[in-house]
Amino acid sequence: MFVIITYDVNVKRVNKVCKKLKEYLTWTQNSVFEGEITKTQFMKCKSELEKIIDPDVDSLYYYVVENPKHLKKTFVGAEKGDMDIFF
Amino acid sequence: MFVIITYDVNVKRVNKVCKKLKEYLTWTQNSVFEGEITKTQFMKCKSELEKIIDPDVDSLYYYVVENPKHLKKTFVGAEKGDMDIFF
């Protein structure tokens, strides 16, 4: 399945969230990760993320498309460099 | 169709991009708008956005799901307030 995860996380936790997401998905832009993932991996990723965030302050949005062919992705403009510059 | 638009735009242009997106979609989080939209409206939104951004610096990602039932959206944590606080 194809997953897009967007997040709005306090600066104290954002590095941890990014590092965790990078284990499973691809960073595309500020606070956006995406990619193909199995259901089991997705559940694991979710539970690990939800141990990191403070649900009273932070937020995580999960967009899941079971069959990647049902999603069309395009982009315009400058491709962002890789995330390594943040770590 | 259901559309998610994420953007990474220079601070000089971000307000204009947000105002334009708000005409068509719902703000959910930093640099993320989403919602149901017709193909015609989406094409209009896209062309107007692409007149605002500087493609050498800014980026826009469009995720399109023709049939909204193919997309499952969930979220965890704090729901962000409405965007009006930014304008």
Side-chain angles (χ1 to χ4, degrees):
Chain A
M1 55 194 202
F2 192 92
V3 166
I4 303 155
I5 298 181
T6 68
Y7 55 87
D8 194 345
V9 170
N10 182 289
V11 68
K12 286 177 291 183
R13 288 178 291 279
V14 73
N15 259 5
K16 252 185 160 182
V17 165
C18 286
K19 272 185 182 165
K20 180 53 63 183
L21 280 165
K22 222 184 155 202
E23 290 174 31
Y24 296 92
L25 296 169
T26 307
W27 178 79
T28 59
Q29 258 187 352
N30 283 349
S31 31
V32 181
F33 278 74
E34 60 161 61
E36 291 207 32
I37 191 170
T38 66
K39 198 161 267 187
T40 316
Q41 286 177 316
F42 176 56
M43 300 314 285
K44 195 164 169 276
C45 173
K46 242 169 82 80
S47 81
E48 290 169 358
L49 284 173
E50 288 161 28
K51 283 183 199 132
I52 297 172
I53 66 157
D54 172 350
D56 294 331
V57 180
D58 306 327
S59 63
L60 289 161
Y61 280 76
Y62 306 109
Y63 300 92
V64 176
V65 179
E66 291 287 335
N67 184 336
K69 79 172 174 49
H70 288 142
L71 175 84
K72 195 170 161 252
K73 173 192 152 186
T74 52
F75 95 94
V76 171
E79 199 149 11
K80 293 298 146 183
D82 195 352
M83 242 199 125
D84 291 335
I85 43 173
F86 293 102
F87 297 100
Chain B
M1 57 194 203
F2 191 93
V3 166
I4 303 155
I5 297 181
T6 69
Y7 54 88
D8 193 347
V9 170
N10 183 289
V11 68
K12 285 177 291 183
R13 288 178 291 279
V14 74
N15 259 5
K16 252 185 160 181
V17 164
C18 287
K19 273 188 182 164
K20 181 52 64 182
L21 281 165
K22 222 183 153 201
E23 291 174 33
Y24 295 92
L25 297 168
T26 306
W27 179 78
T28 58
Q29 254 186 356
N30 282 349
S31 31
V32 182
F33 277 75
E34 58 160 64
E36 292 207 30
I37 191 170
T38 65
K39 196 160 266 184
T40 315
Q41 286 177 317
F42 176 57
M43 300 315 286
K44 195 163 170 278
C45 173
K46 242 170 83 80
S47 82
E48 289 169 357
L49 284 173
E50 289 161 27
K51 283 182 196 132
I52 297 170
I53 66 156
D54 172 349
D56 295 330
V57 179
D58 306 327
S59 63
L60 289 162
Y61 280 75
Y62 305 110
Y63 301 91
V64 176
V65 179
E66 290 288 336
N67 183 338
K69 80 171 173 51
H70 288 141
L71 175 85
K72 194 169 159 248
K73 173 192 155 190
T74 51
F75 96 94
V76 171
E79 197 149 13
K80 292 298 145 182
D82 195 356
M83 243 199 126
D84 291 334
I85 45 172
F86 292 102
F87 297 100

